[in-house]
Amino acid sequence: MNAKARPRWMSRRLLRLGAVALLSLCGITLAWAQGKPVSGAAASSGSALFNQECAGCHGEDGHGVIAMPSMPDLRDPALQKQWSDAELAGVIVNGKGLMPTFKEALSPEQVQNLVK
């Protein structure tokens, strides 16, 4: 069955199913990544910590991943001015929207290293 012959409702349903599958995969990846302890130099390096804990969703440079279009671009100067360090730390610790909490996975020092 080609795309033109497929009813519109079927295309929407397939799109929704794809989005649910993608979000589920991201959740599984986050759960797996949160189970890995960060230690040594990586624990004190914000960039190494970001690569391990955050890059899976936020991208290696903070731009957000294409598969999650609602992901904010952390490189955006307007976004950086909009949020205080305390607000960013709060989102990391408590989660927000699709972002899970990192309260149990990261120490306060690690959270501050990510914010900076």
Side-chain angles (χ1 to χ4, degrees), residues 1-76:
M1 182 182 250
N2 68 32
K4 290 186 179 188
R6 185 178 299 146
R8 178 177 252 155
W9 67 267
M10 187 179 287
S11 295
R12 288 183 190 149
R13 180 176 284 173
L14 289 173
L15 182 61
R16 285 187 199 127
L17 285 173
V20 167
L22 179 63
L23 290 174
S24 297
L25 180 60
C26 288
I28 291 167
T29 302
L30 285 172
W32 174 77
Q34 285 182 346
K36 291 179 156 183
V38 178
S39 61
S44 61
S45 168
S47 61
L49 193 56
F50 183 90
N51 287 335
Q52 181 170 339
E53 299 292 334
C54 311
C57 292
H58 289 285
E60 289 183 11
D61 66 351
H63 71 281
V65 293
I66 294 170
M68 300 177 88
S70 63
M71 186 69 58
D73 184 346
L74 301 177
R75 305 167 302 170
D76 182 7

